[in-house]
Amino acid sequence: MTLSSRLLFSSFYNVLLLSTLIRVGLILYSEWHDARSVVKYTDVDYRVFTDAASFMQNSGPGDMNHAHGPLKEILGYALNFGDPYTRETYRYTPLLALLLTPNGWLHSSFGKYLFALCDLINGILIYWLLKSDILPLTLISTTTSSPSKKGLQETSVDMKELERKATIYSAVHLLNPLIFSISTRGSSESVLSLFVLMALYASMKGRWDLAAVLLGLSTHWKIYPVIYGVGCLGVIGGSGRQIRSMGEFVKNIVNLKTIRFGLISAGTFLILGIGCYAIWGYPFLYESYLYHVHRLDHRHNFSPYFYLTYLTYPSLPGPAEPLSLWSQILRSPLTSFVPQMGLALGLGLLLGRRKEDLVFTWFVQTVVFVVFNKVCTSQYFLWYLLLLPLLLPQLAIPRANTIVYIIVWVGTQALWLSEAYKLEFLGDNVYFGLWIRGLIYVVGNCWVLGGIMGGYRVTSGSSNLLQPQK
């Protein structure tokens, strides 16, 4: 490690300061670049968010751009909310548009600074979790299986090493180019990531009521975090011991503690949803949730389902021709939903046993959810990369294997992108070849995930669910 690297990683605050300067610099550069170039640095989604926030703030005359929820019928125009869904392609919770209203009256880049701030807070939460929960546990596990007084003294003396490791692992998030480039371009993923990390933080601390509320908020923001609730059930209701019968398994995940957790989480989700529906009505329900259920995206993406959707996508206006049974199966949301959710939820039930295994459980669930999603873009990779810095200390993978996994993960994406370039920019008809590369991406990512699962080092007191019992 060079002298400059040692100075950087000698303190978490050095990493935090550098990551802050990078994000502020990129946001300032984005303003300069966008004013001078046809190809914008800012993501198109940010313009969608900004327009929706403007519609939220400025309701139009008459019935134009007015929220049309049930409360309007009761209170009339006394409830004078604008409708963010007046902006086509805005398919998010109205709370996001409400959050970004300062874009119009404070500064056009307010949202980018907010997203960058969430990035930084995420890095701080990762650092805190590493120092307080993850690294001490892994240190004790590697020092001795039954820590003696001497072993605990050695652990307490090594606080500088713990600080250094926590700084390095948190830098995996804070200095990750994919993460800081996406947030500074105007993607809102960092806000959802903050809610997810807060839910994980509360779970690791055993504050299950707070975790349930935060999980309900996360699921309202974007539906996929619902899978984490299943990964928590065995932790909340069980003792971490090995399950020896189906009866014990059921009692482990269905009891008063887990029912309370489910009711609080679902209640939070419903309260937020009912509140938004009462103000914005069916457009909120459709754009935020129903659209994504029956969404048909024939545009090229990493998903193995895109080509099948492309082949059966209606291309001509007018009355649609009756679809064959095969086409109906290909276009059905269940075609992708059943294997995706079956794996994500099933792995959550299988792996979620102890708080010490929650990071691993959530990571595995997220990777499976992303890889088998019916639409998959690079932005979705942030969902599991968020958890990677917390998982790394719990992995025991040989360096050679680690290099191979990185090469496969990056290489399968590069292979796909090289073909996608021909379609997107050259207009070549390479749909079938792109689909084949998408399948290679799926196989490669599953292989890498298998390697990570095999290299997971179970911490002290945990039962290794991945290894055969002696």
Side-chain angles (χ1 to χ4, degrees):
M1 185 178 289
T2 63
L3 178 61
S4 59
S5 298
R6 288 177 181 175
L7 290 174
L8 173 62
F9 295 117
S10 63
S11 168
F12 172 72
Y13 299 103
N14 292 346
V15 173
L16 188 63
L17 176 61
L18 176 60
S19 59
T20 301
L21 294 175
I22 289 173
R23 285 164 172 80
V24 172
L26 284 173
I27 294 172
L28 293 174
Y29 167 77
S30 72
E31 297 174 359
W32 179 88
H33 176 93
D34 290 353
R36 290 165 175 80
S37 177
V38 176
V39 180
K40 307 299 182 184
Y41 178 87
T42 302
D43 194 286
V44 66
D45 282 347
Y46 188 72
R47 295 199 294 273
V48 173
F49 301 155
T50 302
D51 291 346
S54 178
F55 284 123
M56 172 80 80
Q57 191 176 5
N58 304 303
S59 56
D63 283 341
M64 184 183 300
N65 187 37
H66 272 284
H68 290 278
L71 282 183
K72 181 189 174 184
E73 303 299 326
I74 299 172
L75 302 177
Y77 287 103
L79 191 70
N80 197 23
F81 282 99
D83 182 8
Y85 301 106
T86 303
R87 180 32 161 117
E88 293 184 7
T89 73
Y90 181 76
R91 298 190 172 98
Y92 308 88
T93 171
L95 301 184
L96 175 59
L98 188 64
L99 198 63
L100 297 187
T101 50
N103 278 11
W105 54 265
L106 182 60
H107 195 279
S108 60
S109 292
F110 169 82
K112 293 181 182 179
Y113 285 107
L114 177 64
F115 300 154
L117 176 62
C118 289
D119 255 354
L120 298 175
I121 297 174
N122 290 339
I124 294 171
L125 285 173
I126 288 171
Y127 172 77
W128 285 350
L129 275 172
L130 285 165
K131 279 196 68 175
S132 64
D133 291 82
I134 296 173
L135 284 173
L137 204 61
T138 57
L139 184 59
I140 292 173
S141 293
T142 54
T143 303
T144 173
S145 59
S146 179
S148 62
K149 184 176 180 181
K150 181 180 178 182
L152 290 174
Q153 288 174 346
E154 290 174 353
T155 300
S156 63
V157 169
D158 208 14
M159 290 301 294
K160 288 186 177 180
E161 180 66 11
L162 186 146
E163 168 75 23
R164 188 184 70 86
K165 287 185 175 182
T167 300
I168 292 174
Y169 286 128
S170 59
V172 173
H173 172 84
L174 288 168
L175 300 180
N176 188 325
L178 180 62
I179 290 173
F180 64 64
S181 63
I182 285 181
S183 63
T184 56
R185 291 185 66 219
S187 169
S188 65
E189 292 297 335
S190 61
V191 180
L192 174 63
S193 297
L194 176 59
F195 297 150
V196 169
L197 270 182
M198 290 171 65
L200 177 62
Y201 189 88
S203 299
M204 295 290 285
K205 301 300 181 182
R207 301 179 62 183
W208 292 112
D209 288 350
L210 177 59
V213 171
L214 290 168
L215 194 60
L217 172 60
S218 302
T219 307
H220 168 82
W221 207 265
K222 191 166 285 187
I223 202 71
Y224 87 87
V226 71
I227 63 177
Y228 300 143
V230 175
C232 291
L233 294 180
V235 183
I236 299 168
S239 60
R241 63 180 182 273
Q242 186 180 1
I243 303 299
R244 301 182 181 278
S245 68
M246 182 56 67
E248 287 186 9
F249 175 77
V250 173
K251 290 179 181 178
N252 204 47
I253 61 173
V254 182
N255 51 58
L256 290 178
K257 292 180 180 179
T258 58
I259 291 173
R260 176 187 176 94
F261 177 83
L263 288 176
I264 293 175
S265 185
T268 303
F269 175 79
L270 288 174
I271 289 171
L272 290 170
I274 291 172
C276 289
Y277 179 81
I279 298 173
W280 289 281
Y282 183 74
F284 153 73
L285 194 62
Y286 176 80
E287 299 292 355
S288 297
Y289 302 116
L290 300 181
Y291 168 81
H292 298 282
V293 172
H294 63 77
R295 173 183 179 184
L296 291 177
D297 196 335
H298 65 291
R299 294 170 296 179
H300 55 284
N301 61 83
F302 289 98
S303 171
Y305 301 104
F306 106 87
Y307 187 59
L308 306 178
T309 304
Y310 169 76
L311 291 177
T312 59
Y313 196 81
S315 57
L316 297 175
E321 296 182 3
L323 295 175
S324 65
L325 178 61
W326 175 242
S327 296
Q328 292 180 40
I329 293 174
L330 293 180
R331 293 182 61 183
S332 171
L334 293 177
T335 302
S336 61
F337 185 78
V338 170
Q340 176 195 34
M341 295 304 291
L343 285 169
L345 299 181
L347 286 167
L349 291 174
L350 173 66
L351 303 177
R353 288 289 180 271
R354 292 174 56 89
K355 284 191 293 185
E356 294 84 354
D357 300 322
L358 268 181
V359 172
F360 173 67
T361 302
W362 285 23
F363 178 85
V364 172
Q365 287 183 284
T366 312
V367 173
V368 168
F369 186 93
V370 170
V371 169
F372 290 95
N373 198 28
K374 63 179 178 181
V375 179
C376 180
T377 66
S378 298
Q379 191 169 301
Y380 295 2
F381 300 161
L382 297 184
W383 298 352
Y384 58 78
L385 289 178
L386 174 73
L387 302 171
L388 185 60
L390 298 170
L391 179 63
L392 287 175
Q394 303 178 72
L395 298 180
I397 302 176
R399 180 175 297 180
N401 290 19
T402 300
I403 294 173
V404 172
Y405 294 152
I406 294 173
I407 290 174
V408 170
W409 188 77
V410 174
T412 53
Q413 295 176 50
L415 182 68
W416 185 91
L417 289 169
S418 64
E419 196 76 353
Y421 171 81
K422 299 176 184 177
L423 176 63
E424 183 72 20
F425 294 99
L426 304 181
D428 294 346
N429 186 356
V430 293
Y431 282 97
F432 181 77
L434 192 60
W435 178 56
I436 295 298
R437 283 160 175 77
L439 296 180
I440 295 173
Y441 153 82
V442 171
V443 173
N445 274 254
C446 290
W447 182 74
V448 171
L449 178 60
I452 291 174
M453 294 175 72
Y456 177 62
R457 182 177 60 203
V458 178
T459 53
S460 178
S462 297
S463 59
N464 191 345
L465 300 172
L466 302 178
Q467 301 294 337
Q469 298 292 327
K470 292 183 180 181

